[in-house]
Amino acid sequence: MTVQRDDGLEGKVALISGGASGIGQALAIAYARAGARSVVNYFPQDPHDAQETVKAVADIGGECIAVAADVRSTEDCNGLADAAIKHFGRLDIAVAAAGILRRDPLGQMEDKAWSDMLDVDLTGVMRVFRAASSKMTDGGAMVATSSIAGGVYGWEEHAHYAAAKSGVLGLCRSLAVELAPRKIRVNSVIPGLIRSPQSMDAKNSLGDAGLDAAGNIIPWGRVGTVDEAARTIRFLTSDDSAYMTGQQLIVDGGLTVRWPS
């Protein structure tokens, strides 16, 4: 028996911010498995090499291009959407996965630290979606990555990060209503503890040891993988979720529903 995909992703083109590593990189690979092509951005000062994403996609027969773009720049975000049209001739999906994470106690937090965080993790999402919506075919889909920090829980010494991630949810709900006449769906994912370059940063996040310990309180018995988060995003941009918009999916192995004990 010949098995055919019916999720509507084959031939689609996705724009992914933050595609040089982590969930964004895993998503480009997941799209390639589904027959979709990707444009990923990378921040030139980022230590992660976006060409590794391009190669990983090519290794499984997919197609992906990497474009230098800072989500703090409207011009760069517009250029990212333009690159999708120029290279692939269309744009169907936009995923805002770029983000930064910094530890800053309130009493020591400077205005610039607060502004920088929101400029990337919240306003950067808006810039990506604004640029993509101007080029996107009707019937497209958008997804932004929030976090259980802000999306569900508070996180001490990370108030600016949690505020940005909470704001992402309101942004997506509002855009879901605004873009509904064009049948563009807008949803968000709320990743729990996912092992990624960001969470493995012991200075600003949990680090490897902290992630290992956290697995003991997660019902699933471990932290999540970037591929598991990416597959949820892929679902939200596929025909399998065609009647979902303005929603949030928590991907956390049951962490947020476990009774404290």
Side-chain angles (χ1 to χ4, degrees):
M1 181 180 69
T2 300
V3 178
Q4 296 181 334
R5 297 186 66 98
D6 64 351
D7 56 15
L9 287 171
E10 188 169 359
K12 296 288 181 66
V13 174
L15 180 161
I16 306 169
S17 71
S21 64
I23 294 172
Q25 182 181 75
L27 182 59
I29 296 168
Y31 277 138
R33 295 192 194 105
R37 298 161 291 175
S38 299
V39 177
V40 301
N41 92 304
Y42 64 92
F43 182 53
Q45 280 74 54
D46 191 325
H48 302 101
D49 185 0
Q51 291 305 315
E52 293 182 5
T53 303
V54 174
K55 182 180 183 302
V57 168
D59 286 347
I60 59 173
E63 188 173 2
C64 172
I65 63 169
V67 177
D70 185 345
V71 297
R72 297 174 297 183
S73 164
T74 293
E75 182 179 1
D76 282 8
C77 290
N78 290 341
L80 194 59
D82 288 339
I85 300 299
K86 180 178 180 180
H87 194 84
F88 293 118
R90 61 187 295 164
L91 178 58
D92 307 282
I93 296 165
V95 177
I100 59 174
L101 177 62
R102 302 287 184 268
R103 185 184 301 276
D104 255 316
L106 181 61
Q108 300 173 24
M109 188 183 301
E110 298 180 354
D111 287 358
K112 186 177 185 303
W114 175 274
S115 298
D116 287 349
M117 179 65 69
L118 267 67
D119 200 17
V120 175
D121 284 26
L122 178 56
T123 311
V125 175
M126 183 280 294
R127 291 188 188 102
V128 169
F129 283 177
R130 182 176 60 191
S133 67
S134 69
K135 305 292 183 181
M136 186 173 287
T137 56
D138 289 358
M142 297 179 174
V143 173
T145 57
S146 178
S147 170
I148 58 168
V152 180
Y153 293 140
W155 192 8
E156 69 276 13
E157 300 186 344
H158 292 83
H160 49 352
Y161 177 79
K165 293 303 186 179
S166 177
V168 164
L169 302 180
L171 172 65
C172 289
R173 291 189 193 105
S174 296
L175 293 182
V177 176
E178 182 174 340
L179 298 177
R182 292 179 55 192
K183 296 298 182 286
I184 294 176
R185 298 181 298 108
V186 187
N187 293 291
S188 56
V189 293
I190 301 178
L193 298 177
I194 304 294
R195 193 177 297 275
S196 68
Q198 190 177 80
S199 66
M200 289 188 289
D201 175 1
K203 178 181 178 181
N204 294 297
S205 188
L206 298 183
D208 271 326
L211 290 169
D212 289 341
N216 296 324
I217 63 170
I218 297 172
W220 214 243
R222 61 171 175 80
V223 298
T225 69
V226 291
D227 183 62
E228 287 166 332
R231 286 170 180 263
T232 303
I233 297 172
R234 186 176 66 178
F235 161 73
L236 284 173
T237 57
S238 76
D239 288 353
D240 291 339
S241 60
Y243 199 54
M244 289 181 64
T245 194
Q247 304 303 308
Q248 306 86 43
L249 287 185
I250 300 175
V251 188
D252 71 346
L255 174 61
T256 54
V257 296
R258 183 170 196 166
W259 183 260
S261 60

